[in-house]
Short mmCIF file of all heavy atoms in Angstrom, two decimals:
data_model
loop_
_atom_site.label_atom_id
_atom_site.label_comp_id
_atom_site.label_asym_id
_atom_site.label_seq_id
_atom_site.Cartn_x
_atom_site.Cartn_y
_atom_site.Cartn_z
N MET A 1 193.22 187.09 74.03
CA MET A 1 192.29 186.02 73.86
C MET A 1 192.31 185.61 72.39
O MET A 1 192.06 186.43 71.54
CB MET A 1 190.87 186.48 74.25
CG MET A 1 190.75 187.14 75.58
SD MET A 1 190.35 185.92 76.82
CE MET A 1 190.89 186.79 78.25
N ALA A 2 192.46 184.34 72.13
CA ALA A 2 192.66 183.89 70.76
C ALA A 2 191.35 183.47 70.08
O ALA A 2 191.29 183.47 68.88
CB ALA A 2 193.64 182.71 70.75
N SER A 3 190.33 183.16 70.82
CA SER A 3 189.11 182.67 70.19
C SER A 3 188.00 183.69 70.15
O SER A 3 187.97 184.65 70.95
CB SER A 3 188.61 181.41 70.94
OG SER A 3 188.32 181.72 72.26
N GLN A 4 187.08 183.51 69.20
CA GLN A 4 185.93 184.41 69.06
C GLN A 4 184.86 183.89 70.02
O GLN A 4 184.74 182.69 70.29
CB GLN A 4 185.43 184.32 67.63
CG GLN A 4 186.42 184.80 66.62
CD GLN A 4 186.54 186.32 66.61
OE1 GLN A 4 185.58 186.99 66.70
NE2 GLN A 4 187.77 186.79 66.51
N HIS A 5 184.03 184.83 70.51
CA HIS A 5 182.94 184.44 71.44
C HIS A 5 181.64 185.02 70.95
O HIS A 5 181.57 186.15 70.48
CB HIS A 5 183.24 184.92 72.87
CG HIS A 5 184.42 184.26 73.46
ND1 HIS A 5 184.30 183.01 74.05
CD2 HIS A 5 185.70 184.60 73.58
CE1 HIS A 5 185.52 182.64 74.48
NE2 HIS A 5 186.35 183.60 74.22
N THR A 6 180.59 184.25 71.07
CA THR A 6 179.25 184.69 70.71
C THR A 6 178.46 184.93 72.00
O THR A 6 178.85 184.45 73.07
CB THR A 6 178.51 183.59 69.87
OG1 THR A 6 178.23 182.48 70.72
CG2 THR A 6 179.35 183.17 68.66
N PRO A 7 177.34 185.65 71.87
CA PRO A 7 176.51 185.92 73.08
C PRO A 7 176.03 184.62 73.76
O PRO A 7 175.72 184.66 74.95
CB PRO A 7 175.34 186.74 72.55
CG PRO A 7 175.87 187.38 71.33
CD PRO A 7 176.84 186.38 70.74
N ALA A 8 175.94 183.54 73.02
CA ALA A 8 175.46 182.29 73.57
C ALA A 8 176.53 181.43 74.19
O ALA A 8 176.22 180.35 74.75
CB ALA A 8 174.72 181.51 72.47
N ASP A 9 177.79 181.83 74.09
CA ASP A 9 178.84 181.04 74.72
C ASP A 9 178.64 180.90 76.19
O ASP A 9 178.18 181.84 76.89
CB ASP A 9 180.23 181.75 74.50
CG ASP A 9 180.79 181.55 73.11
OD1 ASP A 9 180.24 180.78 72.34
OD2 ASP A 9 181.81 182.21 72.84
N ASP A 10 178.97 179.75 76.72
CA ASP A 10 178.87 179.54 78.21
C ASP A 10 179.64 180.58 78.97
O ASP A 10 179.15 181.08 79.99
CB ASP A 10 179.39 178.15 78.56
CG ASP A 10 178.39 177.03 78.20
OD1 ASP A 10 177.21 177.33 77.92
OD2 ASP A 10 178.80 175.89 78.19
N ILE A 11 180.86 180.92 78.53
CA ILE A 11 181.70 181.86 79.30
C ILE A 11 181.06 183.25 79.37
O ILE A 11 181.10 183.92 80.37
CB ILE A 11 183.12 181.89 78.74
CG1 ILE A 11 184.06 182.60 79.75
CG2 ILE A 11 183.19 182.53 77.39
CD1 ILE A 11 185.54 182.40 79.42
N VAL A 12 180.45 183.69 78.26
CA VAL A 12 179.77 184.98 78.25
C VAL A 12 178.53 184.94 79.14
O VAL A 12 178.34 185.83 79.96
CB VAL A 12 179.40 185.40 76.80
CG1 VAL A 12 178.55 186.65 76.78
CG2 VAL A 12 180.70 185.61 75.96
N TYR A 13 177.75 183.89 79.03
CA TYR A 13 176.59 183.71 79.86
C TYR A 13 176.99 183.70 81.34
O TYR A 13 176.32 184.31 82.16
CB TYR A 13 175.85 182.41 79.49
CG TYR A 13 174.68 182.11 80.38
CD1 TYR A 13 173.44 182.69 80.14
CD2 TYR A 13 174.83 181.32 81.49
CE1 TYR A 13 172.33 182.44 80.97
CE2 TYR A 13 173.75 181.04 82.32
CZ TYR A 13 172.53 181.61 82.06
OH TYR A 13 171.47 181.36 82.89
N ASP A 14 178.04 182.95 81.64
CA ASP A 14 178.49 182.84 83.03
C ASP A 14 178.84 184.21 83.61
O ASP A 14 178.47 184.55 84.75
CB ASP A 14 179.67 181.89 83.15
CG ASP A 14 179.35 180.46 82.76
OD1 ASP A 14 178.14 180.12 82.69
OD2 ASP A 14 180.29 179.71 82.49
N LEU A 15 179.60 185.00 82.84
CA LEU A 15 180.00 186.33 83.31
C LEU A 15 178.79 187.25 83.45
O LEU A 15 178.72 188.01 84.44
CB LEU A 15 181.05 186.95 82.38
CG LEU A 15 182.40 186.34 82.49
CD1 LEU A 15 183.30 186.80 81.31
CD2 LEU A 15 183.07 186.70 83.81
N VAL A 16 177.86 187.21 82.52
CA VAL A 16 176.65 188.04 82.64
C VAL A 16 175.85 187.62 83.85
O VAL A 16 175.36 188.49 84.61
CB VAL A 16 175.80 187.92 81.33
CG1 VAL A 16 174.41 188.52 81.54
CG2 VAL A 16 176.50 188.58 80.18
N THR A 17 175.75 186.35 84.14
CA THR A 17 175.03 185.85 85.29
C THR A 17 175.69 186.30 86.57
O THR A 17 174.99 186.78 87.49
CB THR A 17 174.93 184.31 85.23
OG1 THR A 17 174.24 183.94 84.06
CG2 THR A 17 174.17 183.76 86.46
N ILE A 18 176.99 186.20 86.66
CA ILE A 18 177.71 186.67 87.86
C ILE A 18 177.50 188.16 88.06
O ILE A 18 177.24 188.63 89.14
CB ILE A 18 179.19 186.30 87.78
CG1 ILE A 18 179.34 184.77 88.02
CG2 ILE A 18 180.01 187.07 88.80
CD1 ILE A 18 180.74 184.26 87.81
N GLN A 19 177.61 188.91 86.99
CA GLN A 19 177.41 190.37 87.05
C GLN A 19 176.01 190.68 87.53
O GLN A 19 175.83 191.53 88.43
CB GLN A 19 177.69 191.02 85.70
CG GLN A 19 177.60 192.53 85.76
CD GLN A 19 177.89 193.13 84.42
OE1 GLN A 19 177.57 192.60 83.37
NE2 GLN A 19 178.51 194.31 84.43
N TYR A 20 175.01 190.06 86.98
CA TYR A 20 173.62 190.30 87.35
C TYR A 20 173.41 190.01 88.84
O TYR A 20 172.80 190.82 89.55
CB TYR A 20 172.69 189.43 86.52
CG TYR A 20 171.28 189.45 87.03
CD1 TYR A 20 170.40 190.52 86.75
CD2 TYR A 20 170.80 188.42 87.84
CE1 TYR A 20 169.14 190.53 87.22
CE2 TYR A 20 169.53 188.42 88.32
CZ TYR A 20 168.66 189.50 88.03
OH TYR A 20 167.41 189.51 88.53
N HIS A 21 173.86 188.87 89.28
CA HIS A 21 173.64 188.51 90.70
C HIS A 21 174.41 189.39 91.65
O HIS A 21 173.90 189.76 92.73
CB HIS A 21 173.98 187.05 90.95
CG HIS A 21 172.92 186.13 90.32
ND1 HIS A 21 171.66 185.99 90.82
CD2 HIS A 21 172.98 185.30 89.27
CE1 HIS A 21 170.99 185.14 90.10
NE2 HIS A 21 171.75 184.71 89.12
N ALA A 22 175.61 189.85 91.26
CA ALA A 22 176.35 190.76 92.10
C ALA A 22 175.64 192.09 92.20
O ALA A 22 175.54 192.67 93.29
CB ALA A 22 177.77 190.94 91.53
N LEU A 23 175.13 192.61 91.11
CA LEU A 23 174.40 193.90 91.12
C LEU A 23 173.10 193.77 91.89
O LEU A 23 172.74 194.68 92.67
CB LEU A 23 174.13 194.36 89.69
CG LEU A 23 175.35 194.79 88.92
CD1 LEU A 23 174.99 195.02 87.45
CD2 LEU A 23 175.94 196.07 89.54
N THR A 24 172.38 192.65 91.74
CA THR A 24 171.15 192.43 92.51
C THR A 24 171.43 192.39 93.99
O THR A 24 170.65 192.96 94.80
CB THR A 24 170.47 191.15 92.02
OG1 THR A 24 170.22 191.26 90.59
CG2 THR A 24 169.16 190.92 92.74
N ALA A 25 172.46 191.66 94.38
CA ALA A 25 172.81 191.56 95.81
C ALA A 25 173.23 192.90 96.38
O ALA A 25 172.83 193.27 97.50
CB ALA A 25 173.92 190.52 95.98
N ALA A 26 174.04 193.63 95.64
CA ALA A 26 174.43 194.98 96.10
C ALA A 26 173.26 195.86 96.33
O ALA A 26 173.20 196.61 97.28
CB ALA A 26 175.44 195.57 95.12
N GLN A 27 172.29 195.79 95.44
CA GLN A 27 171.07 196.60 95.59
C GLN A 27 170.25 196.17 96.80
O GLN A 27 169.72 196.99 97.51
CB GLN A 27 170.24 196.49 94.32
CG GLN A 27 169.01 197.38 94.32
CD GLN A 27 168.21 197.27 93.04
OE1 GLN A 27 168.29 196.27 92.33
NE2 GLN A 27 167.43 198.31 92.73
N ALA A 28 170.21 194.89 97.07
CA ALA A 28 169.41 194.40 98.23
C ALA A 28 170.01 194.84 99.54
O ALA A 28 169.27 194.94 100.52
CB ALA A 28 169.35 192.84 98.17
N VAL A 29 171.28 195.15 99.60
CA VAL A 29 171.92 195.54 100.82
C VAL A 29 171.29 196.82 101.43
O VAL A 29 171.29 197.00 102.61
CB VAL A 29 173.46 195.68 100.63
CG1 VAL A 29 174.11 196.34 101.83
CG2 VAL A 29 174.07 194.31 100.42
N ASP A 30 170.72 197.65 100.57
CA ASP A 30 170.04 198.88 101.07
C ASP A 30 169.00 198.50 102.13
O ASP A 30 168.94 199.12 103.18
CB ASP A 30 169.37 199.64 99.95
CG ASP A 30 170.39 200.31 99.03
OD1 ASP A 30 171.55 200.55 99.47
OD2 ASP A 30 170.04 200.66 97.90
N LYS A 31 168.18 197.47 101.86
CA LYS A 31 167.20 197.04 102.82
C LYS A 31 167.89 196.41 104.05
O LYS A 31 167.48 196.65 105.20
CB LYS A 31 166.23 196.05 102.22
CG LYS A 31 165.15 195.63 103.23
CD LYS A 31 164.40 194.46 102.79
CE LYS A 31 163.32 194.02 103.77
NZ LYS A 31 163.61 194.12 105.19
N TYR A 32 168.91 195.67 103.81
CA TYR A 32 169.62 195.01 104.93
C TYR A 32 170.19 196.06 105.89
O TYR A 32 170.19 195.86 107.10
CB TYR A 32 170.73 194.10 104.45
CG TYR A 32 170.30 193.02 103.46
CD1 TYR A 32 171.25 192.43 102.64
CD2 TYR A 32 168.97 192.58 103.36
CE1 TYR A 32 170.88 191.43 101.74
CE2 TYR A 32 168.60 191.61 102.46
CZ TYR A 32 169.56 191.03 101.66
OH TYR A 32 169.22 190.05 100.77
N LEU A 33 170.71 197.14 105.31
CA LEU A 33 171.28 198.20 106.18
C LEU A 33 170.18 198.83 107.03
O LEU A 33 170.43 199.16 108.18
CB LEU A 33 171.96 199.28 105.26
CG LEU A 33 173.26 198.81 104.65
CD1 LEU A 33 173.73 199.86 103.60
CD2 LEU A 33 174.33 198.59 105.70
N GLN A 34 169.00 199.00 106.46
CA GLN A 34 167.89 199.54 107.27
C GLN A 34 167.53 198.57 108.41
O GLN A 34 167.31 198.96 109.55
CB GLN A 34 166.66 199.77 106.40
CG GLN A 34 166.80 200.88 105.37
CD GLN A 34 165.64 200.97 104.43
OE1 GLN A 34 164.66 200.24 104.56
NE2 GLN A 34 165.79 201.83 103.44
N ASP A 35 167.52 197.29 108.07
CA ASP A 35 167.20 196.28 109.10
C ASP A 35 168.25 196.22 110.20
O ASP A 35 167.93 195.84 111.34
CB ASP A 35 167.10 194.89 108.46
CG ASP A 35 165.89 194.74 107.54
OD1 ASP A 35 165.01 195.61 107.55
OD2 ASP A 35 165.90 193.75 106.74
N ALA A 36 169.48 196.63 109.90
CA ALA A 36 170.56 196.51 110.88
C ALA A 36 170.77 197.81 111.67
O ALA A 36 171.77 197.93 112.38
CB ALA A 36 171.85 196.17 110.14
N GLU A 37 169.80 198.72 111.61
CA GLU A 37 169.90 199.95 112.42
C GLU A 37 170.24 199.60 113.86
O GLU A 37 169.61 198.73 114.47
CB GLU A 37 168.59 200.71 112.41
CG GLU A 37 168.43 201.74 111.34
CD GLU A 37 169.55 202.73 111.10
OE1 GLU A 37 170.02 203.38 112.08
OE2 GLU A 37 169.95 202.86 109.96
N GLY A 38 171.23 200.27 114.43
CA GLY A 38 171.60 200.06 115.81
C GLY A 38 172.56 198.92 116.03
O GLY A 38 172.93 198.61 117.18
N HIS A 39 172.95 198.24 114.98
CA HIS A 39 173.87 197.11 115.03
C HIS A 39 175.08 197.42 114.15
O HIS A 39 175.15 196.94 113.00
CB HIS A 39 173.22 195.78 114.63
CG HIS A 39 172.02 195.47 115.45
ND1 HIS A 39 172.13 194.81 116.66
CD2 HIS A 39 170.69 195.70 115.28
CE1 HIS A 39 170.92 194.65 117.18
NE2 HIS A 39 170.05 195.16 116.36
N ASP A 40 175.98 198.23 114.66
CA ASP A 40 177.09 198.72 113.86
C ASP A 40 177.95 197.59 113.26
O ASP A 40 178.43 197.69 112.11
CB ASP A 40 177.98 199.64 114.66
CG ASP A 40 177.27 200.96 114.98
OD1 ASP A 40 176.25 201.29 114.32
OD2 ASP A 40 177.73 201.64 115.91
N ASP A 41 178.14 196.53 114.02
CA ASP A 41 178.97 195.40 113.51
C ASP A 41 178.26 194.72 112.32
O ASP A 41 178.91 194.37 111.30
CB ASP A 41 179.24 194.39 114.59
CG ASP A 41 178.01 193.87 115.30
OD1 ASP A 41 176.97 194.52 115.25
OD2 ASP A 41 178.13 192.78 115.96
N VAL A 42 176.96 194.58 112.39
CA VAL A 42 176.19 193.98 111.28
C VAL A 42 176.19 194.92 110.08
O VAL A 42 176.40 194.49 108.96
CB VAL A 42 174.76 193.60 111.74
CG1 VAL A 42 173.96 193.09 110.56
CG2 VAL A 42 174.82 192.58 112.85
N ARG A 43 175.94 196.21 110.34
CA ARG A 43 175.97 197.21 109.28
C ARG A 43 177.31 197.21 108.55
O ARG A 43 177.38 197.23 107.31
CB ARG A 43 175.66 198.59 109.77
CG ARG A 43 174.20 198.83 110.11
CD ARG A 43 173.95 200.25 110.57
NE ARG A 43 174.28 201.23 109.52
CZ ARG A 43 173.46 201.56 108.51
NH1 ARG A 43 172.30 201.00 108.40
NH2 ARG A 43 173.87 202.46 107.64
N SER A 44 178.37 197.13 109.29
CA SER A 44 179.71 197.09 108.71
C SER A 44 179.90 195.88 107.82
O SER A 44 180.47 195.97 106.70
CB SER A 44 180.74 197.11 109.85
OG SER A 44 182.05 197.05 109.31
N PHE A 45 179.41 194.73 108.25
CA PHE A 45 179.50 193.51 107.47
C PHE A 45 178.71 193.67 106.18
O PHE A 45 179.18 193.35 105.08
CB PHE A 45 178.96 192.33 108.28
CG PHE A 45 178.84 191.11 107.45
CD1 PHE A 45 179.93 190.38 107.02
CD2 PHE A 45 177.59 190.61 107.12
CE1 PHE A 45 179.81 189.22 106.25
CE2 PHE A 45 177.41 189.47 106.35
CZ PHE A 45 178.56 188.76 105.94
N PHE A 46 177.45 194.20 106.26
CA PHE A 46 176.64 194.38 105.08
C PHE A 46 177.29 195.38 104.12
O PHE A 46 177.23 195.17 102.90
CB PHE A 46 175.24 194.88 105.46
CG PHE A 46 174.40 193.84 106.12
CD1 PHE A 46 173.31 194.24 106.92
CD2 PHE A 46 174.60 192.46 105.98
CE1 PHE A 46 172.49 193.30 107.53
CE2 PHE A 46 173.79 191.52 106.56
CZ PHE A 46 172.74 191.95 107.34
N GLU A 47 177.93 196.41 104.62
CA GLU A 47 178.63 197.37 103.76
C GLU A 47 179.79 196.69 103.03
O GLU A 47 180.04 196.95 101.85
CB GLU A 47 179.08 198.55 104.56
CG GLU A 47 177.94 199.46 105.00
CD GLU A 47 178.31 200.45 106.07
OE1 GLU A 47 179.44 200.38 106.66
OE2 GLU A 47 177.44 201.36 106.34
N GLU A 48 180.52 195.85 103.74
CA GLU A 48 181.62 195.12 103.13
C GLU A 48 181.14 194.16 102.02
O GLU A 48 181.71 194.04 100.96
CB GLU A 48 182.43 194.33 104.20
CG GLU A 48 183.54 193.49 103.61
CD GLU A 48 184.66 194.25 102.97
OE1 GLU A 48 184.75 195.48 103.17
OE2 GLU A 48 185.46 193.63 102.26
N VAL A 49 180.03 193.48 102.30
CA VAL A 49 179.41 192.59 101.32
C VAL A 49 179.02 193.38 100.06
O VAL A 49 179.28 192.95 98.93
CB VAL A 49 178.20 191.84 101.92
CG1 VAL A 49 177.39 191.14 100.83
CG2 VAL A 49 178.69 190.85 102.95
N ALA A 50 178.41 194.54 100.28
CA ALA A 50 178.00 195.38 99.11
C ALA A 50 179.23 195.83 98.33
O ALA A 50 179.19 195.84 97.10
CB ALA A 50 177.21 196.60 99.60
N ARG A 51 180.31 196.19 98.98
CA ARG A 51 181.50 196.63 98.30
C ARG A 51 182.09 195.47 97.46
O ARG A 51 182.46 195.64 96.32
CB ARG A 51 182.58 197.10 99.31
CG ARG A 51 183.84 197.69 98.63
CD ARG A 51 184.95 197.93 99.62
NE ARG A 51 185.41 196.74 100.32
CZ ARG A 51 186.14 195.78 99.77
NH1 ARG A 51 186.50 195.83 98.54
NH2 ARG A 51 186.51 194.74 100.52
N GLN A 52 182.10 194.28 98.07
CA GLN A 52 182.62 193.08 97.32
C GLN A 52 181.73 192.79 96.12
O GLN A 52 182.25 192.46 95.06
CB GLN A 52 182.67 191.89 98.27
CG GLN A 52 183.76 192.00 99.33
CD GLN A 52 183.68 190.91 100.33
OE1 GLN A 52 182.73 190.08 100.38
NE2 GLN A 52 184.64 190.85 101.22
N ASP A 53 180.43 192.89 96.28
CA ASP A 53 179.51 192.62 95.17
C ASP A 53 179.73 193.66 94.07
O ASP A 53 179.74 193.29 92.86
CB ASP A 53 178.04 192.68 95.64
CG ASP A 53 177.66 191.44 96.39
OD1 ASP A 53 178.25 190.34 96.16
OD2 ASP A 53 176.75 191.53 97.25
N ALA A 54 179.90 194.92 94.41
CA ALA A 54 180.16 195.96 93.43
C ALA A 54 181.48 195.67 92.69
O ALA A 54 181.52 195.81 91.44
CB ALA A 54 180.18 197.32 94.07
N GLU A 55 182.51 195.31 93.39
CA GLU A 55 183.77 194.99 92.76
C GLU A 55 183.65 193.79 91.85
O GLU A 55 184.21 193.75 90.76
CB GLU A 55 184.86 194.69 93.81
CG GLU A 55 185.30 195.93 94.57
CD GLU A 55 186.25 195.62 95.72
OE1 GLU A 55 186.55 194.43 95.95
OE2 GLU A 55 186.68 196.56 96.38
N ARG A 56 182.86 192.81 92.28
CA ARG A 56 182.65 191.60 91.45
C ARG A 56 181.90 191.94 90.16
O ARG A 56 182.28 191.47 89.06
CB ARG A 56 181.84 190.58 92.25
CG ARG A 56 181.72 189.21 91.64
CD ARG A 56 181.04 188.23 92.60
NE ARG A 56 181.86 188.02 93.79
CZ ARG A 56 181.49 188.49 95.01
NH1 ARG A 56 180.39 189.13 95.21
NH2 ARG A 56 182.27 188.27 96.05
N ALA A 57 180.93 192.85 90.26
CA ALA A 57 180.19 193.27 89.07
C ALA A 57 181.11 194.03 88.09
O ALA A 57 181.02 193.79 86.87
CB ALA A 57 179.01 194.16 89.47
N VAL A 58 181.93 194.88 88.62
CA VAL A 58 182.86 195.64 87.76
C VAL A 58 183.87 194.71 87.08
O VAL A 58 184.12 194.81 85.88
CB VAL A 58 183.63 196.73 88.57
CG1 VAL A 58 184.78 197.31 87.80
CG2 VAL A 58 182.67 197.82 89.01
N LYS A 59 184.39 193.75 87.81
CA LYS A 59 185.35 192.80 87.22
C LYS A 59 184.70 191.94 86.13
O LYS A 59 185.26 191.74 85.06
CB LYS A 59 185.92 191.89 88.31
CG LYS A 59 186.95 190.90 87.82
CD LYS A 59 188.18 191.58 87.26
CE LYS A 59 189.23 190.58 86.86
NZ LYS A 59 190.46 191.17 86.37
N ALA A 60 183.46 191.48 86.38
CA ALA A 60 182.73 190.74 85.35
C ALA A 60 182.52 191.59 84.10
O ALA A 60 182.69 191.12 82.97
CB ALA A 60 181.40 190.23 85.88
N HIS A 61 182.18 192.85 84.31
CA HIS A 61 182.01 193.79 83.21
C HIS A 61 183.26 193.94 82.39
O HIS A 61 183.27 193.94 81.15
CB HIS A 61 181.52 195.16 83.73
CG HIS A 61 181.19 196.14 82.70
ND1 HIS A 61 180.04 196.10 81.96
CD2 HIS A 61 181.92 197.19 82.23
CE1 HIS A 61 180.03 197.08 81.08
NE2 HIS A 61 181.15 197.77 81.24
N GLN A 62 184.39 194.09 83.07
CA GLN A 62 185.68 194.24 82.40
C GLN A 62 186.01 192.98 81.60
O GLN A 62 186.46 193.07 80.45
CB GLN A 62 186.80 194.52 83.41
CG GLN A 62 186.69 195.90 84.06
CD GLN A 62 187.61 196.02 85.27
OE1 GLN A 62 188.10 195.06 85.83
NE2 GLN A 62 187.82 197.29 85.70
N LEU A 63 185.81 191.84 82.22
CA LEU A 63 186.11 190.60 81.50
C LEU A 63 185.20 190.40 80.29
O LEU A 63 185.63 189.93 79.21
CB LEU A 63 185.97 189.39 82.48
CG LEU A 63 187.08 189.34 83.53
CD1 LEU A 63 186.71 188.29 84.61
CD2 LEU A 63 188.42 189.01 82.92
N LEU A 64 183.93 190.77 80.43
CA LEU A 64 183.01 190.71 79.30
C LEU A 64 183.51 191.60 78.16
O LEU A 64 183.48 191.22 77.00
CB LEU A 64 181.61 191.14 79.70
CG LEU A 64 180.76 190.04 80.41
CD1 LEU A 64 179.55 190.68 81.08
CD2 LEU A 64 180.36 188.97 79.42
N GLY A 65 183.96 192.77 78.54
CA GLY A 65 184.48 193.70 77.55
C GLY A 65 185.66 193.11 76.79
O GLY A 65 185.78 193.27 75.58
N SER A 66 186.56 192.44 77.55
CA SER A 66 187.74 191.89 76.89
C SER A 66 187.39 190.72 76.01
O SER A 66 188.03 190.47 75.01
CB SER A 66 188.81 191.52 77.92
OG SER A 66 188.39 190.41 78.69
N LEU A 67 186.34 189.98 76.35
CA LEU A 67 185.91 188.85 75.53
C LEU A 67 185.14 189.25 74.28
O LEU A 67 185.11 188.54 73.31
CB LEU A 67 185.04 187.91 76.33
CG LEU A 67 185.71 187.04 77.37
CD1 LEU A 67 184.68 186.24 78.15
CD2 LEU A 67 186.71 186.09 76.74
N THR A 68 184.50 190.42 74.38
CA THR A 68 183.54 190.77 73.32
C THR A 68 183.98 191.98 72.52
O THR A 68 183.17 192.59 71.83
CB THR A 68 182.13 191.03 73.93
OG1 THR A 68 182.23 192.09 74.87
CG2 THR A 68 181.58 189.75 74.57
N SER A 69 185.26 192.34 72.56
CA SER A 69 185.72 193.46 71.78
C SER A 69 186.95 193.09 70.98
O SER A 69 187.65 192.13 71.27
CB SER A 69 186.04 194.66 72.70
OG SER A 69 187.15 194.36 73.51
N GLY A 70 187.22 193.91 69.97
CA GLY A 70 188.43 193.66 69.15
C GLY A 70 188.44 192.32 68.45
O GLY A 70 187.41 191.78 68.07
N SER A 71 189.61 191.77 68.26
CA SER A 71 189.75 190.51 67.52
C SER A 71 189.16 189.30 68.24
O SER A 71 188.89 188.30 67.65
CB SER A 71 191.22 190.23 67.19
OG SER A 71 191.96 190.07 68.42
N ALA A 72 188.95 189.45 69.56
CA ALA A 72 188.34 188.36 70.31
C ALA A 72 186.88 188.69 70.60
O ALA A 72 186.29 188.18 71.51
CB ALA A 72 189.09 188.14 71.66
N GLY A 73 186.30 189.55 69.79
CA GLY A 73 184.95 190.03 70.02
C GLY A 73 183.85 189.07 69.60
O GLY A 73 184.12 187.98 69.14
N LEU A 74 182.64 189.55 69.71
CA LEU A 74 181.49 188.75 69.30
C LEU A 74 181.53 188.56 67.78
O LEU A 74 181.81 189.48 67.04
CB LEU A 74 180.17 189.48 69.68
CG LEU A 74 179.88 189.61 71.15
CD1 LEU A 74 178.63 190.42 71.35
CD2 LEU A 74 179.77 188.29 71.80
N SER A 75 181.31 187.35 67.40
CA SER A 75 181.36 187.02 65.97
C SER A 75 180.18 186.12 65.62
O SER A 75 180.08 185.03 66.17
CB SER A 75 182.68 186.35 65.67
OG SER A 75 182.65 185.85 64.33
N PRO A 76 179.30 186.53 64.72
CA PRO A 76 178.17 185.71 64.37
C PRO A 76 178.63 184.39 63.71
O PRO A 76 177.92 183.40 63.73
CB PRO A 76 177.36 186.53 63.39
CG PRO A 76 178.10 187.76 63.14
CD PRO A 76 179.28 187.81 64.06
N SER A 77 179.86 184.37 63.17
CA SER A 77 180.32 183.14 62.51
C SER A 77 181.10 182.23 63.47
O SER A 77 181.46 181.14 63.06
CB SER A 77 181.22 183.49 61.31
OG SER A 77 182.34 184.20 61.77
N ALA A 78 181.29 182.69 64.69
CA ALA A 78 182.05 181.86 65.66
C ALA A 78 181.15 180.76 66.15
O ALA A 78 179.94 180.87 66.26
CB ALA A 78 182.55 182.69 66.81
N GLY A 79 181.75 179.68 66.57
CA GLY A 79 180.93 178.63 67.15
C GLY A 79 181.50 177.38 66.92
O GLY A 79 181.70 176.38 66.77
#
């Protein structure tokens, strides 16, 4: 990554937002799984959604790390 990024950059904000929503959705699935008791097909779908949300949160975290570390890291003088 050639450019410096600040915490206020749109790209950083976007990744943080995606990560937040993915983690929130994955957490909500716990209730959905309770609601789906006795419906194995629905439970399976909710479990898959939770797995996808967790993967999405991890990927956003990795991308944030690559944007905000080293020479392409956060820079108060960038902008």
Side-chain angles (χ1 to χ4, degrees):
M1 310 267 158
S3 62
Q4 299 285 318
H5 293 279
T6 69
D9 282 352
D10 285 345
I11 194 168
V12 173
Y13 176 85
D14 296 344
L15 286 168
V16 168
T17 301
I18 287 173
Q19 184 180 33
Y20 169 80
H21 288 290
L23 291 169
T24 302
Q27 184 178 22
V29 169
D30 288 340
K31 182 193 180 323
Y32 304 160
L33 289 170
Q34 292 173 5
D35 292 345
E37 269 312 308
H39 301 276
D40 292 341
D41 54 340
V42 175
R43 285 184 60 83
S44 178
F45 171 72
F46 289 157
E47 289 166 351
E48 176 65 14
V49 167
R51 184 190 61 74
Q52 291 171 353
D53 286 332
E55 289 174 359
R56 189 173 297 110
V58 168
K59 181 65 175 182
H61 184 77
Q62 292 168 343
L63 290 169
L64 280 165
S66 70
L67 286 175
T68 59
S69 67
S71 63
L74 292 177
S75 172
S77 61

